[in-house]
Amino acid sequence: MTAVPSTLPSRWAQLTQRLGGGANSAWFPYVLVAPLALILWGYVVQPMLATFVESVSEDGTANYAQFFTSSGVARTSLLTSLVISAASVLLCGIVGVAMAFLLKRFSFAGRRLIEAFILVPAALPPLIGAVSFQLLYSEIGILPRALQQLFGTAQPVLAFDGIAGVLVVHTFTMYPFFYLAASAALAGMDPSVEEAAYNLGAGRIRVWRTVLLPMLTPALVSASLLVFMTSLASYTAPLLFGVDQTMTMQIYINRTNGDLPMASTYAAVLGLVSIAFLLLMRWYEGRRSYLSQSKGISARRREIANPIGRWLAPVASVLATLVLLAPVATIALVAFSADGSWTTEVIPSAYTIENFVTILTEPRAFEPILNSLQMSLLATAACVVVGVLIAYAVRRLRFVGRSLLDIGVMIAWALPGTVVAINLISAYSTGNGFSFGQALIGTFWILPLAYFVRFLPLVFRASSASLALIDPSLEEAARNLGASWWRAFLNITVRLMLPGVIVGALLAFVHGVGEFVASVLIYTSSTVPISVAINNRMYSFEIGTAAAYGMLQVALIFVVMWFSGRLENGGRAASRRAEQWTN
């Protein structure tokens, strides 16, 4: 057998040499960026335009006129979505910042117990988080039924439903955004600034208003953006708690009713609102400088001086831990319940392992797991290739339109899952150049494409953050020693980026396995993913089997989180070794 005479990197090098000067040529960035820009145009921007065209295809702008001028469902849905998102930001901010301040500034019995489980909500897929709260706190939930039985009332006690239920789900599952951002900011904040303010006679409220909050502003803006965007895109919580008049629910309802132009109108408006809020938050964050000029050390935790507080702290820690673990424990409990055995009882009355046996042994029941793994792996592989190259182009190359490339990825991140699905339906119901002339709707490939569009920003951000820690002189030294751009890029840059890239890839893979919002609009009978299988089982009253699927998802996420933590630690060690080598 004869050897292959050339490889892709060598052919790429030959192409760039012909364009003039190889990687040192002024044309090189454009050769690298052109296919990346084409991918973002074809699968992010062009589908958005297709959705707008679809929304005006039948009656012109009549759908938009109806949306903004009538006082019916459309305006109510937009207002409800905005109110829920704003309330979610407020509640998550209160809980997350309070927990961060308590755990980072005070030392008390039980603190480490809470810290061990504080991020458990972040491990729950959106659908599983909403289902667990429905099984815990809704009218059919364990807690309201237990209180009903305890007090002998005719109706469940403290049952959450409607918007209140949605806000409870959002607060519990999204407060980690604020907790993580505020914790990092507090850990790096110089305590001498606070002490100086107190020494000058400022009270606690004034110190909070004039010192702490301004220094926390970048963290709070970042967390607010994440919570607002996630809440605005929320579909599972409104679905399970019966809030029909939200933007995401109306997109789904109009799509299932066959009114694609009106669904496209909702999607276009929701997409514009999401992008506008993203730009507003970025502008607000950048309009002032929040840098501290002090060189002090980080604050030490203070002991709780109040005797009652010291006694209440361990009790509150145990209660907080129980609250944090309750959703996962509920899913685990129900996963072993026999389908149909839980009707009016407080907890299921019959238990079995048949739910897991059925899922893992019956081909039809195992098919959703196989579908999710296959589609997530394909999407993740594409995210890694495209995300790493875009991160490199934005961080290391100089070319006209660099900010547009960054904005393209930002738009992909800003779009809710329902909007991504409608965009792809509008763009790929018929064949075009980006689908090689084939209609993708109704095929296997539409779901991996949706996952790619949704989770490309995760790999891009992780790769970009990792690349920011790598000294460019390492790659330049390899180039000066005669290595080609491809060899220096693969052997030096990519190797040093690898821990961050793998973390981003794992996040994209896990989110793909748990993705529901876009999947429910574009799946077919042969491409049912795990999340849709859970939803279908819930509606068939096969709650035990649905929870068993959920437990498998949660177990996978915990494994990935553990592995990601190990990789991050290894990546930091590798960066330190590289820095020592260069010095």
Side-chain angles (χ1 to χ4, degrees):
M1 181 180 294
T2 58
V4 178
S6 62
T7 62
L8 179 60
S10 63
R11 288 177 180 174
W12 183 276
Q14 292 170 9
L15 174 62
T16 54
Q17 288 285 351
R18 290 172 185 172
L19 287 172
N24 294 322
S25 168
W27 289 101
F28 175 75
Y30 299 97
V31 174
L32 180 66
V33 167
L36 304 176
L38 199 62
I39 288 171
L40 291 178
W41 171 263
Y43 302 116
V44 177
V45 179
Q46 183 257 343
M48 290 178 60
L49 299 178
T51 294
F52 176 75
V53 171
E54 181 66 36
S55 68
V56 297
S57 60
E58 291 187 359
D59 301 315
T61 59
N63 286 333
Y64 290 97
Q66 177 185 345
F67 191 101
F68 289 107
T69 59
S70 67
S71 58
V73 174
R75 291 177 62 183
T76 302
S77 299
L78 178 60
L79 181 62
T80 303
S81 294
L82 293 175
V83 168
I84 289 175
S85 299
S88 298
V89 170
L90 179 62
L91 292 173
C92 291
I94 293 172
V95 174
V97 174
M99 293 297 290
F101 193 79
L102 181 67
L103 295 178
K104 298 302 177 182
R105 289 298 178 89
F106 293 95
S107 180
F108 53 90
R111 177 180 61 83
R112 293 187 180 278
L113 183 65
I114 299 179
E115 284 187 325
F117 298 106
I118 192 73
L119 296 180
V120 165
L124 296 176
L127 179 61
I128 296 302
V131 168
S132 66
F133 268 78
Q134 185 186 40
L135 299 177
L136 262 176
Y137 302 119
S138 70
E139 290 187 352
I140 64 170
I142 293 173
L143 182 61
R145 284 181 174 180
L147 294 175
Q148 177 188 12
Q149 191 175 83
L150 178 64
F151 296 114
T153 60
Q155 298 295 328
V157 179
L158 294 178
F160 289 98
D161 198 13
I163 292 178
V166 173
L167 290 177
V168 168
V169 173
H170 285 183
T171 302
F172 181 85
T173 56
M174 299 178 196
Y175 82 82
F177 293 134
F178 274 96
Y179 171 77
L180 289 171
S183 294
L186 288 171
M189 194 177 294
D190 190 342
S192 64
V193 179
E194 282 181 74
E195 293 169 4
Y198 284 125
N199 292 336
L200 292 173
R204 289 186 179 277
I205 295 178
R206 187 172 183 182
V207 170
W208 259 98
R209 183 174 58 85
T210 60
V211 178
L212 291 176
L213 284 181
M215 294 301 293
L216 287 173
T217 294
L220 296 181
V221 169
S222 175
S224 298
L225 175 62
L226 288 170
V227 172
F228 187 91
M229 303 288 285
T230 307
S231 301
L232 197 63
S234 177
Y235 170 74
T236 53
L239 173 69
L240 295 177
F241 284 88
V243 183
D244 292 337
Q245 293 190 359
T246 64
M247 295 292 286
T248 52
M249 285 296 295
Q250 288 302 312
I251 290 173
Y252 175 78
I253 291 170
N254 281 279
R255 163 61 176 159
T256 53
N257 288 340
D259 192 354
L260 184 57
M262 196 62 195
S264 299
T265 303
Y266 276 97
V269 173
L270 182 57
L272 288 175
V273 170
S274 301
I275 294 171
F277 184 79
L278 176 61
L279 296 175
L280 177 65
M281 287 294 99
R282 290 188 62 166
W283 167 82
Y284 181 79
E285 186 179 13
R287 73 189 184 99
R288 290 180 58 186
S289 174
Y290 301 96
L291 297 176
S292 173
Q293 300 298 321
S294 60
K295 301 295 183 180
I297 61 174
S298 59
R300 293 183 178 180
R301 292 185 176 90
R302 301 193 297 268
E303 296 286 342
I304 296 178
N306 190 300
I308 298 178
R310 284 201 302 267
W311 181 82
L312 289 176
V315 177
S317 299
V318 172
L319 291 177
T321 302
L322 291 176
V323 171
L324 290 170
L325 294 179
V328 177
T330 300
I331 293 295
L333 174 71
V334 178
F336 289 97
S337 68
D339 287 335
S341 65
W342 191 18
T343 54
T344 60
E345 301 88 356
V346 175
I347 60 174
S349 57
Y351 297 91
T352 179
I353 63 170
E354 284 301 315
N355 298 329
F356 291 97
V357 173
T358 298
I359 290 174
L360 297 175
T361 59
E362 291 189 8
R364 186 170 182 81
F366 187 73
E367 187 178 21
I369 297 177
L370 191 61
N371 286 340
S372 288
L373 293 176
Q374 288 177 335
M375 294 185 294
S376 297
L377 281 172
L378 285 171
T380 300
C383 287
V384 167
V385 174
V386 177
V388 168
L389 289 175
I390 292 179
Y392 183 88
V394 171
R395 281 280 181 182
R396 293 290 173 85
L397 302 181
R398 297 291 181 268
F399 56 92
V400 177
R402 185 176 58 165
S403 59
L404 293 178
L405 200 65
D406 192 20
I407 289 173
V409 181
M410 180 183 70
I411 289 174
W413 178 80
L415 295 178
T418 48
V419 176
V420 171
I422 293 298
N423 288 350
L424 295 179
I425 292 171
S426 301
Y428 295 109
S429 294
T430 57
N432 59 48
F434 292 100
S435 62
F436 304 101
Q438 302 296 316
L440 297 183
I441 297 301
T443 70
F444 170 86
W445 298 104
I446 193 63
L447 279 168
L449 178 58
Y451 298 169
F452 166 75
V453 173
R454 292 209 65 193
F455 307 126
L456 171 65
L458 294 176
V459 180
F460 167 75
R461 294 301 177 191
S463 302
S464 181
S466 183
L467 190 61
L469 301 176
I470 300 173
D471 190 343
S473 63
L474 294 175
E475 184 180 330
E476 292 171 3
R479 297 277 305 283
N480 291 335
L481 291 172
S484 65
W485 176 84
W486 265 108
R487 187 174 182 183
F489 174 70
L490 294 175
N491 292 343
I492 304 295
T493 306
V494 171
R495 283 191 179 184
L496 292 174
M497 290 173 61
L498 198 58
V501 173
I502 294 176
V503 168
L506 289 174
L507 288 174
F509 175 74
V510 165
H511 279 74
V513 170
E515 209 286 331
F516 174 67
V517 178
S519 301
V520 75
L521 288 169
I522 54 179
Y523 79 96
T524 66
S525 59
S526 60
T527 60
V528 176
I530 297 177
S531 54
V532 174
I534 292 171
N535 186 61
N536 293 344
R537 297 276 184 168
M538 289 289 292
Y539 275 94
S540 301
F541 298 101
E542 299 175 63
I543 298 177
T545 303
Y549 276 118
M551 274 307 299
L552 294 176
Q553 274 189 324
V554 171
L556 174 64
I557 290 172
F558 274 119
V559 170
V560 169
M561 288 179 65
W562 172 82
F563 191 54
S564 297
R566 296 290 299 272
L567 283 172
E568 286 179 344
N569 293 333
R572 284 192 288 267
S575 297
R576 287 194 296 268
R577 289 195 297 270
E579 184 177 354
Q580 291 171 357
W581 181 61
T582 55
N583 292 334

